[in-house]
Amino acid sequence: MEPINPEQAQRVWQRVRGPGAESDTLEMLLALESECRQLLLCLQKTAPLRDSRGLNRLREECRRFSHIFLGLAMVREADVTVTAAPAVRGNAEGLLRQCYAVRRKAIGLLRALPEDSAFCAELLSQRMEEHCLLVLELLGSLPRN
């Protein structure tokens, strides 16, 4: 039996799924928000950031982003599945770095939204960039060993 080429398999699945790339993008954005929320929850338990106003603001923004993506899915009548957040562990610096990486990935995915969502994607991208700045600020405020 001949091995399956992953690129060919992906093309086949894209044809089978049809024009569902938009709901895939929304699902990925929702999964990233879920991961980011979990990271921020874990960060809130670490000593240096326990009472951080910035961290509370990030958590609230994350919740809002999730609601916006769910709203977009409802408007488009897209069938999206909200995945469970992965379990995370680590120190404050590592969690903030991971949060920054997740947020940058989400900003990149916003560009994949359809043309009629461009205004929404642009506004969300700006808000997520502010989110990145706050993550960097929190990262810079951590005590150095």
Side-chain angles (χ1 to χ4, degrees), residues 56-73:
N56 289 333
R57 184 173 153 218
L58 289 175
R59 287 188 61 220
E60 178 62 24
E61 281 284 310
C62 226
R63 187 184 63 76
R64 286 181 175 165
F65 292 146
S66 291
H67 289 170
I68 290 168
F69 295 138
L70 283 171
L72 265 175

Side-chain angles (χ1 to χ4, degrees), residues 25-26 29 32-33 65 68-69 72 103-115 117-129:
T25 301
L26 286 172
L29 285 166
L32 288 172
E33 286 312 310
F65 292 146
I68 290 168
F69 295 138
L72 265 175
R103 183 56 64 219
R104 296 301 306 165
K105 196 182 301 183
I107 291 171
L109 278 175
L110 284 172
R111 294 184 186 105
L113 288 176
E115 192 69 29
S117 300
F119 76 95
C120 185
E122 186 177 327
L123 291 171
L124 286 171
S125 181
Q126 290 171 357
R127 285 174 64 183
M128 286 186 181
E129 286 171 358

Side-chain angles (χ1 to χ4, degrees), residues 7-145:
E7 290 176 22
Q8 288 175 330
Q10 185 171 356
R11 278 184 266 155
V12 168
W13 277 111
Q14 285 174 348
R15 283 194 304 257
V16 170
R17 285 185 187 165
E22 176 188 335
S23 66
D24 288 347
T25 301
L26 286 172
E27 280 187 36
M28 288 187 282
L29 285 166
L30 281 165
L32 288 172
E33 286 312 310
S34 180
E35 183 178 349
C36 196
R37 220 177 20 251
Q38 190 67 25
L39 288 165
L40 295 171
L41 185 64
C42 192
L43 271 165
Q44 199 164 23
K45 296 175 185 175
T46 63
L49 297 172
R50 186 165 289 136
D51 298 323
S52 170
R53 286 184 186 173
L55 194 58
N56 289 333
R57 184 173 153 218
L58 289 175
R59 287 188 61 220
E60 178 62 24
E61 281 284 310
C62 226
R63 187 184 63 76
R64 286 181 175 165
F65 292 146
S66 291
H67 289 170
I68 290 168
F69 295 138
L70 283 171
L72 265 175
M74 290 174 75
V75 165
R76 303 190 156 286
E77 297 178 2
D79 185 25
V80 295
T81 305
V82 180
T83 57
V88 293
R89 288 192 132 136
N91 62 8
E93 182 180 341
L95 292 170
L96 283 169
R97 285 174 184 262
Q98 191 173 351
C99 189
Y100 182 79
V102 165
R103 183 56 64 219
R104 296 301 306 165
K105 196 182 301 183
I107 291 171
L109 278 175
L110 284 172
R111 294 184 186 105
L113 288 176
E115 192 69 29
D116 62 345
S117 300
F119 76 95
C120 185
E122 186 177 327
L123 291 171
L124 286 171
S125 181
Q126 290 171 357
R127 285 174 64 183
M128 286 186 181
E129 286 171 358
E130 291 172 10
H131 195 147
C132 285
L133 288 174
L134 191 49
V135 168
L136 290 173
E137 183 180 337
L138 288 172
L139 189 57
S141 70
L142 290 176
R144 299 281 174 224
N145 293 339

